[in-house]
Amino acid sequence: AQTPVPLISISSVNQFNFTAQYNGGLPNSQTLTFTNAVGTLNWTISNIPNWLNVTPTSEISNNAQVQLRPNTTSLNPNQSPY
């Protein structure tokens, strides 16, 4: 029997935009959603920059919501955009 070919759909594939004020609070998280219409996926997000919190970073599922939230406390305001 052949293994089914994944049929993956991803939201917000182009970009995420976060805005923060210097010495202000952290920006709200944004959600990356992806689904697989054929079976389950064993996925992992890698090469995450140290200023970005990603939860979860891996999962086995056919529908996932990944939260992305920048940690602006470690960023230099004179080096933007990131």
Side-chain angles (χ1 to χ4, degrees):
Q2 289 185 337
T3 302
V5 176
L7 180 59
I8 302 169
S9 153
I10 302 175
S11 70
S12 302
V13 294
N14 292 331
Q15 65 185 359
F16 289 90
N17 292 303
F18 298 97
T19 302
Q21 296 291 324
Y22 184 67
N23 287 331
L26 295 176
N28 291 330
S29 64
Q30 294 183 27
T31 303
L32 167 67
T33 302
F34 59 91
T35 58
N36 180 24
V38 182
T40 58
L41 290 174
N42 183 352
W43 58 267
T44 300
I45 298 173
S46 59
N47 299 320
I48 302 167
N50 61 356
W51 54 266
L52 185 63
N53 297 324
V54 177
T55 306
T57 57
S58 64
E59 195 172 280
I60 298 173
S61 67
N62 66 339
N63 185 359
Q65 290 192 335
V66 179
Q67 298 299 312
L68 307 171
R69 184 173 191 181
N71 180 359
T72 56
T73 57
S74 65
L75 299 179
N76 180 340
N78 297 318
Q79 293 179 323
S80 66
Y82 284 91

